[in-house]
Amino acid sequence: MKRVLTIAGSDSGGGAGIQADLKTITVLGAFGTSVLTALTAQNTLGVQGIHEVPVDFVRQQMDAVLTDIGADAVKTGMLASAALVGEVADGLRRHQTGPLVVDPVMAATSGDSLLARDAVETIKAELIPLAFLVTPNLPEASMLAGFSVSDMAGMKEAARRIFALGPKNVLIKGGHLNDEAADLLYDGREFRVFSCPKIETRNTHGTGCTYSAALAAFLAQGKTVVEAVAEAKAFISRAIRFATPMGSGNGPTNAYAHVANHLEREAVLLELGEALERFLSEPLGRLVPEIRTNFGYALPAASTPDEIAAIPGRVTNRGRRLLCWSEAAFGGSRHVAKVILAAMDFDPSLRSAMAIRHDGEIMRACRELGFNMAVFSRADEPKEVKEREGSSLEWGTRQALRGFKGTPDLVYDEGGPGKEPIVRLLGRTPGEVVDKAMAIGRRLGL
């Protein structure tokens, strides 16, 4: 088991700081140790008080942990004063550790200041040059780079300036961007963007702490910086998406969503397999489109196509008979996965989808059954979406569900040049989706 040391402040509300770090490190399979730099009285509404830990006691904590247990990676969080920053930097120079992740915490999610102004220069001069990876958000990048950062062009310039301070890598977090949560990684040679749709929620307390703790855990486990950022991005996105509201203000993220994601894998495969068997037992070959049928089911906390079980090779037909040559597997179909992920952004309970034929009789049957139907037009598809492989279905589903009232039973499109029109049945479970397909079949007299 890899060892990850977090050097940060305590959050009495449990959503950020040492508490969030240790939760994250634990669920990612590493052993967490800690050095407390400050005690805070805070909750979801804000910070009511800060009590700095004496500098000499911070030194004692670092020496105690690093001379005995050691660390395969270290992360720093809240370092309230210049004296604390200097002491932590000295301690890291005294001891041999794995890669250092510096989260330059300057304010809480509530906006309360967590860093003295004179400490910013000390962070730049003493701590950042020791970092393997430094992870500022946009306000922190603005402070470190010396100008206001608000878009991707500004993020790139800020990354260059922060890199010049001496770290091996810079990750500027774009959670404060307006349209999407796009993070920018710079290694001094090239930029990489890690992007996901922005999640509209107030439950974002501790996102920076959780993200940097995940980065430290993945780096300790031997992942490259690109691999670590990709996996940590998925981890924090899931933790935000499936946060459980607590308190009256900015609630905490949910690190346990990662555990739930893994615990559910067997159950998801079993449930999809049972629904598939029931589907295959019916004479529903009439519903299979020319591109064949995709059928998938997502983990409750899915955020990537690899967390969605589907049928590799799809379901085909011979006349009325349905045929399938493969068992369900995670990552089995990126096409249906894109549809499900987009549907889950609209309603997290819509975890299953199946593609069926689109024609006049099938659409009439859907209307007669009273299905709630959402539609998109491929003619409206932006050029950049068309040119990006695998983006059309995700874009189309989002487009259809944008502003949709109620719970959709299906999303369809009328096709386009070289594109077959398709109906995508949606449901909370694969059994519910199969029920809809069977209802259509009965209406058609199959």
Side-chain angles (χ1 to χ4, degrees):
M1 179 178 283
K2 298 300 183 181
R3 308 151 299 170
V4 179
L5 168 62
T6 169
I7 306 172
S10 168
D11 172 7
S12 56
I18 289 284
Q19 288 85 345
D21 292 348
L22 292 177
K23 292 172 190 175
T24 299
I25 292 163
T26 300
V27 300
L28 291 177
F31 181 78
T33 57
S34 61
V35 169
L36 279 170
T37 60
L39 307 179
T40 69
Q42 66 175 298
N43 52 28
T44 65
L45 296 172
V47 179
Q48 288 81 49
I50 297 175
H51 178 72
E52 288 186 33
V53 173
V55 170
D56 60 346
F57 191 65
V58 170
R59 182 186 311 116
Q60 280 186 283
Q61 292 178 78
M62 289 188 70
D63 289 345
V65 172
L66 294 175
T67 58
D68 178 30
I69 299 171
D72 297 297
V74 179
K75 70 143 286 187
T76 63
M78 178 187 176
L79 305 174
S81 66
L84 278 173
V85 174
E87 182 56 50
V88 168
D90 285 344
L92 291 170
R93 284 190 287 262
R94 284 198 310 273
H95 299 285
Q96 184 173 359
T97 70
L100 170 65
V101 177
V102 172
D103 182 17
V105 176
M106 298 180 184
T109 301
S110 61
D112 296 294
S113 177
L114 298 175
L115 182 72
R117 285 194 169 274
D118 63 349
V120 175
E121 292 305 314
T122 311
I123 286 176
K124 292 166 66 173
E126 296 199 39
L127 193 59
I128 288 179
L130 303 177
F132 177 78
L133 178 64
V134 58
T135 64
N137 58 27
L138 296 192
E140 292 159 353
S142 299
M143 289 286 288
L144 295 173
F147 69 97
S148 178
V149 181
S150 59
D151 56 21
M152 186 56 67
M155 289 167 70
K156 288 184 175 180
E157 178 57 27
R160 292 188 187 97
R161 294 191 188 188
I162 296 170
F163 183 81
L165 298 174
K168 296 285 195 302
N169 302 275
V170 178
L171 178 68
I172 298 186
K173 300 172 294 188
H176 290 82
L177 294 172
N178 291 327
D179 298 326
E180 60 180 348
D183 302 340
L184 180 72
L185 178 66
Y186 182 56
D187 63 1
R189 299 181 300 278
E190 63 177 326
F191 295 101
R192 291 177 183 265
V193 176
F194 299 81
S195 183
C196 70
K198 195 161 185 177
I199 301 166
E200 295 302 325
T201 177
R202 68 177 187 176
N203 301 315
T204 56
H205 182 50
T207 50
C209 304
T210 301
Y211 197 175
S212 56
L215 286 164
F218 287 130
L219 290 170
Q221 291 163 350
K223 298 187 185 299
T224 67
V225 67
V226 173
E227 292 168 340
V229 172
E231 295 199 29
K233 178 73 169 176
F235 179 92
I236 189 59
S237 297
R238 188 182 302 118
I240 295 170
R241 184 192 303 271
F242 295 97
T244 301
M246 292 187 185
S248 303
N250 297 112
T253 62
N254 179 17
Y256 187 76
H258 175 81
V259 178
N261 184 279
H262 285 276
L263 291 176
E264 291 280 349
R265 295 179 78 87
E266 186 174 346
V268 162
L269 288 172
L270 179 62
E271 196 170 348
L272 180 58
E274 290 175 348
L276 177 63
E277 284 187 21
R278 193 155 62 91
F279 181 58
L280 295 174
S281 69
E282 299 291 325
L284 297 176
R286 165 84 167 77
L287 300 185
V288 176
E290 291 181 17
I291 61 170
R292 297 179 292 173
T293 291
N294 280 318
F295 188 19
Y297 188 31
L299 290 164
S303 60
T304 69
D306 291 333
E307 294 165 338
I308 295 174
I311 315 301
R314 308 187 186 187
V315 176
T316 187
N317 70 301
R318 181 175 295 167
R320 299 176 65 191
R321 184 183 176 193
L322 294 169
L323 302 171
C324 181
W325 314 113
S326 304
E327 294 184 349
F330 284 97
S333 169
R334 293 192 171 266
H335 284 82
V336 76
K338 295 285 188 179
V339 171
I340 293 173
L341 288 172
M344 288 178 72
D345 278 343
F346 172 80
D347 179 347
S349 73
L350 293 175
R351 293 166 47 201
S352 187
M354 175 191 291
I356 66 170
R357 181 184 297 274
H358 174 295
D359 63 28
E361 291 183 356
I362 289 174
M363 294 306 297
R364 183 164 55 252
C366 291
R367 286 191 292 272
E368 291 172 353
L369 287 165
F371 285 172
N372 291 324
M373 299 187 289
V375 62
F376 68 92
S377 172
R378 289 186 178 271
D380 298 330
E381 187 176 355
K383 180 181 178 182
E384 61 270 19
V385 174
K386 292 180 181 179
E387 293 174 347
R388 193 164 64 240
E389 180 65 27
S391 298
S392 294
L393 295 181
E394 183 178 12
W395 170 85
T397 305
R398 293 186 194 284
Q399 186 80 355
L401 296 180
R402 185 175 291 120
F404 190 86
K405 303 300 182 184
T407 301
D409 293 296
L410 60 88
V411 170
Y412 73 95
D413 73 278
E414 302 282 357
K419 298 291 184 180
E420 180 183 7
I422 294 291
V423 174
R424 294 109 188 153
L425 299 176
L426 304 177
R428 290 180 289 271
T429 67
E432 185 178 302
V433 171
V434 169
D435 286 343
K436 292 176 182 179
M438 291 172 63
I440 294 170
R442 286 193 297 271
R443 180 68 60 167
L444 295 174
L446 301 180

